[in-house]
Amino acid sequence: LLMSDSAWENDGDGGVMRPCTTCSAFRLVLGALLVVALLQLLYLSFLSGLHGRQQRSRYSELFGAAARRPDRPSEADAARLERLRYALSAGGAFDASGQYRVYKNLIRSEAESERPLLALATHASVSNLHHLDSLLGRWRHRLSVAVFAHGRDVGAAAALLYALGVFCPHVRALVDFHLVCGSGEAAGFPERDREQFAGLEDCAGAFGRLEARRDEHRNYAIGANVSYPNNLLRNVARGGVDADYVLVLDVDMAPSADLHRRFADMAARRRPAADEVLVLPAFEIRHAGRLPAAKPELLRLYQVGEVRPFYEELCPRCQAPTDYSRWLNLPGPGAGPLGVAYTLTWADPWEPFYIGARSVPPYDERFRQYGFNRISQACELHVAGFRFSVLDSAFVVHRGFKVQGEFHSRKDEENRRNRLLFRSFKEGLKSKYPNSSRRC
C-alpha cells in the first residue's frame, strides 16, 4: 500500500521523519478486509452460477428431449414430451355445448397398452388435485383423472400434471390425465411455465406445490362466472381409460383396500350382468387420516361415531336406499370373497357410487355446479332397466364429515336451477326409453 504524507511521524531528534507504524498496521488490516470481502463476493458469485446450472439442469430434465433419467431411457422422455407437445398443439376438442375445451389423454400412463379389468375415474380442479396423492395410496391401479382449469390455472395445469409424471413414478405408471378448460382458453406448452418447477426436486415437492393451492378455491366456487362441469369431467375421465369396468368417485373419496383384486376374483366367478351395476355403500369419516381398509375396521369406527353414512347430515335421503342397517348387520366378518349381498330397485333421490360396465349411460353434461348431477345419471340407469346390486364388504369413504355451512354461497341457487333442469331431464327420458315402464 502507498503511504501518503500524513503517514509519517517526527522522530523527536532534530525533525527526522520516519514511517508511522500505527498507520501502516491500520492499512494492512483494511487491505486484508478488502481481500476477504472480494473473496466472499467471488464465492457468492460461484454459488449463484452453480444454482443456475442446477436449475438449468432441472429444466433440461423436464423439457430436454435428450435428457437422461436413471430409471427411464432418454428415448421415453423424448417420446413423452413430444406427445404432450402434440396434444397441446392440436388444441383439444370442444364439448357438445361448445363451452369447454377438452384435452383428452393429455398425459398417458406407461400402462396405457394394458387393458385393465377395473379402473377408477375421478375429477378435480387444480386446487383440489392434491387429494390425488392419498387416493393413490389406497388405489395402486389404473386411474383416469379429468382436471378442470380456469384463467391463470390453464397455463399452469399442463406444467403441474407433467411435473407429477416426471417426479412421481407411481403417477407416471398408472395415471392418465385429461384437461378441461373454457372454450375461449387454451393450454400452452409447459416450457412457457418454467416457474412452476422452480425448486422442485422430487414427488413430495410436486404434491406439496399442489397442496399449497388447496385453499385458493373449491371446485364449485372457482369464479362468479365459471361453472364447474362435473358431469362433463366424469364422462371425460370415464371414457379416457379403456377398462371393462369403471368406478367413478370424487377425488376426495377412496375405496376400501384391495378392491381391485377382490373384484377380479369375483368377476372370475361371476361377471356382472349387462343390466347390473355393483353398488359400494358410501360413508364419511371424521378424521381423514384414518381411512378404514376393510369392513371390520369400518364397523368399529362406525360404532364409536368416527364413521357415518355419506351425506347423513346434508341429505340423508340421497343415500338411505342403500339400506345401511341391513348392510352393516350382514352376517360374517366381511373378509371373505367379495359378493353381492342384495339387489335393489332405484328410489328417488338415491345417488349411489357403483362399479359399472362401459355400456352404462353417460352422465348428462348439462348438469354443472351443485345439485342433481349424479342423481340424474342414477335415474336414467333405473329407467334404462338397470338393477343395483349392493356388494357385501366393499365400500367407499369420503375424507371428512359433510356439514352444513361448508358450501359456497351460490349452492342453493345452483340447486334450484338444476332442480328445474332435472324435471325436463325426466321428461326427456320418456322419449329416450319409450318401451320402459319405469319412471323417476
Side-chain angles (χ1 to χ4, degrees), residues 283-292 301 306-308 397-401:
F283 296 86
E284 53 190 38
I285 187 167
R286 187 191 309 272
H287 298 102
R290 192 183 174 186
L291 293 182
L301 293 172
E306 282 295 304
V307 163
R308 66 185 186 184
V397 182
H398 178 271
R399 296 178 180 85
F401 279 179

Side-chain angles (χ1 to χ4, degrees), residues 47-330:
L47 289 181
S48 177
L50 178 62
H51 177 72
R53 287 193 297 275
Q54 289 174 337
Q55 288 299 311
R56 287 192 294 274
S57 175
R58 175 60 63 197
Y59 295 148
S60 176
E61 181 179 349
L62 289 165
F63 302 113
R68 285 195 171 273
R69 290 175 54 87
D71 59 342
R72 195 155 52 99
S74 61
E75 291 79 4
D77 274 332
R80 187 179 184 87
L81 192 64
E82 189 58 33
R83 185 165 55 190
L84 174 62
R85 189 190 301 273
Y86 175 79
L88 289 171
S89 65
F94 293 138
D95 75 318
S97 72
Q99 298 182 47
Y100 298 96
R101 186 187 301 271
V102 179
Y103 296 90
K104 192 174 180 181
N105 291 313
L106 181 67
I107 297 177
R108 290 180 178 269
S109 72
E110 292 179 340
E112 62 175 305
S113 60
E114 303 173 10
R115 181 184 176 94
L117 174 66
L118 174 64
L120 194 152
T122 190
H123 60 98
S125 63
V126 175
S127 59
N128 237 23
L129 192 57
H130 64 277
H131 287 296
L132 178 63
D133 193 19
S134 53
L135 179 56
L136 283 168
R138 174 59 59 89
W139 181 264
R140 293 281 182 166
H141 303 278
R142 286 292 292 280
L143 180 59
S144 181
V145 184
V147 178
F148 180 69
H150 168 69
R152 65 182 180 85
D153 281 347
V154 177
L160 290 169
L161 299 182
Y162 181 59
L164 290 176
V166 168
F167 292 111
C168 306
H170 60 308
V171 174
R172 185 167 65 246
L174 300 172
V175 181
D176 299 294
F177 283 115
H178 323 280
L179 182 62
V180 178
C181 59
S183 59
E185 300 172 315
F189 190 68
E191 203 167 19
R192 306 171 189 169
D193 292 281
R194 289 186 172 186
E195 66 274 9
Q196 299 295 331
F197 298 97
L200 290 185
E201 295 292 338
D202 54 24
C203 185
F207 274 111
R209 190 64 53 86
L210 290 172
E211 180 77 21
R213 306 184 64 156
R214 64 181 301 168
D215 296 324
E216 290 184 1
H217 54 71
R218 297 173 181 170
N219 276 355
Y220 296 159
I222 296 174
N225 298 313
V226 181
S227 293
Y228 183 77
N230 35 34
N231 276 0
L232 169 62
L233 293 167
R234 290 182 176 111
N235 286 339
V236 169
R238 200 182 83 167
V241 59
D242 186 22
D244 293 337
Y245 298 91
V246 180
L247 169 61
V248 180
L249 289 182
D250 295 341
V251 74
D252 54 0
M253 304 185 78
S256 49
D258 209 17
L259 174 62
H260 189 277
R261 181 193 62 79
R262 299 185 72 209
F263 175 77
D265 291 344
M266 174 185 169
R269 303 188 312 270
R270 171 199 177 278
R271 280 254 177 174
D275 62 349
E276 179 184 34
V277 293
L278 304 178
V279 175
L280 291 82
F283 296 86
E284 53 190 38
I285 187 167
R286 187 191 309 272
H287 298 102
R290 192 183 174 186
L291 293 182
K295 188 173 181 180
E297 184 182 1
L298 176 79
L299 292 175
R300 290 193 297 270
L301 293 172
Y302 181 85
Q303 290 166 358
V304 298
E306 282 295 304
V307 163
R308 66 185 186 184
F310 186 61
Y311 257 44
E312 183 177 67
E313 181 177 332
L314 300 178
C315 183
R317 293 175 59 243
C318 294
Q319 296 296 324
T322 302
D323 199 346
Y324 284 95
S325 178
R326 181 178 180 181
W327 189 84
L328 291 166
N329 291 286
L330 289 172

